[in-house]
């Protein structure tokens, strides 16, 4: 199995099997470029012939010559990574090898999908034509692969930064949304849009658009303009908006109202 080759009886038939192979090879290459970087650096001697970095299905790695047969059993990784070792900054060199490793992993994964195909049973949809089944399976495979950070992102530290930012943003949104009311009626839907508007503006950067859209909304009780930091509620009958404080409705109380009727509409119904 020199040069990252595969045994003759190795034939992954489902997107899940191909993804396991992808993940194992990826783990091996990440080790080479992070925890085993000193060993990897030493093996990439510029005085040697063309060398390649291979990830193996057992989560290990090897630096080896390209396969002798033409065409090779698997798509070839970038050739001659050792030649650039001493001509570049080490970080830049590792990043360059990492991005080429990502390209190789994708090539290998879709090589297996093209060579062996995917069984119909592995598809989420029952389709008569095999090409449609394979297309669906390739999409599933790509989605699984896309759920992992690339080797380049791991080596450069980009994945950690993105993960930290995502966690911070999610925590911030969670804290804000936990104080908002949630009713299942149409009134709740309208109320939620107004009360969560500030969160959406902060996360999506659309402050000016939303301000223009709702800036002319007036309270049916006091006549003041809409303010995105106040609780508002909409009457399900006349569809007018009201400050919660003007009609004495709190977010907690709004959660239990199935259909909100403003004081004016309530008085009309009482008179009839």
């Amino acid at each position: 199995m020199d040069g990252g080759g595969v045994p003759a009886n190795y034939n992954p038939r489902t997107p899940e099997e191909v993804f396991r192979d992808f993940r194992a090879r990826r783990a091996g290459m990440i080790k080479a470029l992070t925890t085993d970087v000193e060993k990897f650096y030493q093996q990439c001697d510029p005085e040697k012939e063309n060398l390649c970095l291979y990830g193996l299905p057992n989560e290990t790695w090897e630096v080896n010559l390209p396969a002798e047969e033409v065409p090779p059993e698997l798509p070839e990784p970038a050739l001659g990574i050792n030649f650039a070792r001493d001509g570049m900054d080490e970080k830049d060199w590792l990043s360059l090898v990492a991005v080429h490793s990502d390209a190789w992993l994708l090539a290998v994964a879709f090589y297996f999908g093209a060579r062996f195909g995917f069984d119909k049973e592995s598809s989420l949809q029952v389709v008569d034509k095999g090409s449609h089944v394979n297309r669906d399976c390739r999409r599933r495979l790509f989605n699984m692969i896309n759920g992992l950070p690339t080797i380049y992102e791991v080596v450069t530290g980009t994945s950690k930064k993105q993960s930290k930012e995502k966690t911070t943003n999610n925590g911030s949104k969670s804290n804000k949304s936990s104080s908002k009311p949630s009713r299942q009626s149409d009134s709740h839907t309208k109320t939620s849009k107004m009360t969560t508007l500030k969160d959406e503006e902060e996360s999506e950067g659309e402050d000016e658009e939303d301000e223009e859209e709702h800036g002319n909304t007036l309270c049916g009780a006091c006549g003041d303009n809409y303010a995105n930091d106040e609780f508002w509620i909409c009457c399900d009958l006349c569809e007018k908006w009201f400050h919660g404080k003007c009609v004495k409705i709190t977010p907690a109380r709004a959660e239990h109202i199935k259909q909100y009727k403003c004081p004016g509409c309530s008085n009309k119904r009482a008179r009839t």
Side-chain angles (χ1 to χ4, degrees), residues 111-243:
Y111 162 84
F112 286 139
R115 176 180 174 183
F116 302 119
F118 293 120
D119 292 338
K120 289 187 178 181
E121 291 77 9
S122 68
S123 176
L124 290 174
Q125 302 174 350
V126 179
V127 189
D128 292 334
K129 295 184 178 180
S131 61
H132 289 220
V133 174
N134 287 338
R135 193 179 308 131
D136 178 65
C137 290
R138 288 195 298 271
R139 187 181 300 113
R140 288 168 56 198
L141 173 61
F142 181 78
N143 287 339
M144 287 187 286
I145 290 173
N146 211 32
L148 296 173
T150 62
I151 296 177
Y152 176 81
E153 289 172 340
V154 174
V155 170
T156 58
T158 309
S159 61
K160 291 182 180 179
K161 182 179 179 182
Q162 290 175 342
S163 177
K164 184 177 180 181
E165 289 176 351
K166 186 176 181 182
T167 301
T168 302
N169 291 337
N170 287 344
S172 176
K173 290 179 181 178
S174 176
N175 290 336
K176 292 177 182 176
S177 62
S178 64
S179 63
K180 304 301 178 184
S182 57
R183 290 166 47 206
Q184 296 180 355
S185 64
D186 291 341
S187 176
H188 155 62
T189 303
K190 296 172 185 174
T191 305
S192 296
K193 288 180 181 178
M194 296 292 281
T195 54
T196 58
L197 197 56
K198 187 176 181 182
D199 294 347
E200 293 174 0
E201 288 170 349
E202 290 176 351
S203 62
E204 298 175 12
E206 297 177 352
D207 301 22
E208 295 181 0
E209 284 185 31
D210 289 319
E211 202 60 36
E212 290 175 3
E213 182 180 353
H214 300 287
N216 296 325
T217 303
L218 302 178
C219 174
C222 69
D224 284 347
N225 288 76
Y226 157 76
N228 60 16
D229 59 348
E230 293 181 291
F231 170 73
W232 279 56
I233 189 166
C234 182
C235 175
D236 287 303
L237 298 182
C238 66
E239 296 189 348
K240 290 182 180 178
W241 287 94
F242 298 85
H243 290 112

Side-chain angles (χ1 to χ4, degrees), residues 2 5 66-74 76:
D2 290 342
E68 294 182 3
E69 67 270 18
V70 179
E73 178 70 13
L74 287 179
E76 287 286 14

